[in-house]
Amino acid sequence: MYNTYMYADVSVVSYAQKDQSTFTYSVDGFSEIKVGSLVTLKFGKKKSFGIIRKIYNQKPNTKFRILPIESLLNIDPIPRSLMELADWMIDYYVAPASSVWQLLIPKNPATVPRKVFDHPSHQT
């Protein structure tokens, strides 16, 4: 049987641990979701923002219930280079991932204009 469900590993902006932990969420109904997309989701008892780090089709082997992503924000995905910078900052400074993400994304990304991350033009 063909599985049409998709799953994503998400960095949760409010997760205040000093590592690069991701959490798995289902991505049903969001065909336009990409790595770097900003989403809203339920994390614990609160609503939070997350950044899609990896997308896959096979359901992970876990005993935990996989919650769905609530919404996809109408913002351009975070560029891979910015995600790599965040990973480096978390590792190098042993900083909580939440602190790094809060530096790199708008305070409330749901209320900012669509084009958040400008890509510099390369002129020769």
Side-chain angles (χ1 to χ4, degrees):
M1 182 175 180
Y2 180 71
N3 182 4
T4 59
Y5 294 104
M6 289 183 8
Y7 300 90
D9 289 340
V10 180
S11 291
V12 178
V13 173
S14 63
Y15 182 64
Q17 296 299 316
K18 294 180 181 177
D19 61 22
Q20 296 182 43
S21 294
T22 58
F23 300 89
T24 303
Y25 284 81
S26 67
V27 188
D28 307 330
F30 297 105
S31 60
E32 64 280 355
I33 208 159
K34 299 175 185 173
V35 171
S37 293
L38 283 110
V39 296
T40 60
L41 43 82
K42 186 174 180 183
F43 187 70
K45 294 182 180 184
K46 296 183 178 184
K47 187 174 182 177
S48 186
F49 295 103
I51 298 124
I52 302 295
R53 300 305 305 261
K54 181 180 175 184
I55 300 171
Y56 44 95
N57 292 326
Q58 187 171 353
K59 184 176 181 179
N61 186 13
T62 180
K63 60 184 175 184
F64 300 106
R65 190 172 121 223
I66 299 175
L67 297 175
I69 288 174
E70 291 183 356
S71 67
L72 172 63
L73 298 181
N74 191 21
I75 298 175
D76 290 338
I78 296 174
R80 185 168 303 279
S81 59
L82 193 57
M83 291 193 303
E84 289 171 357
L85 174 63
D87 292 342
W88 177 83
M89 290 171 68
I90 292 164
D91 287 340
Y92 187 82
Y93 294 108
V94 193
S98 61
S99 297
V100 172
W101 287 120
Q102 289 170 9
L103 285 172
L104 297 176
I105 64 172
K107 183 173 182 163
N108 186 354
T111 62
V112 296
R114 171 138 176 67
K115 187 107 177 139
V116 175
F117 305 103
D118 284 330
H119 300 280
S121 60
H122 298 287
Q123 297 179 356
T124 56

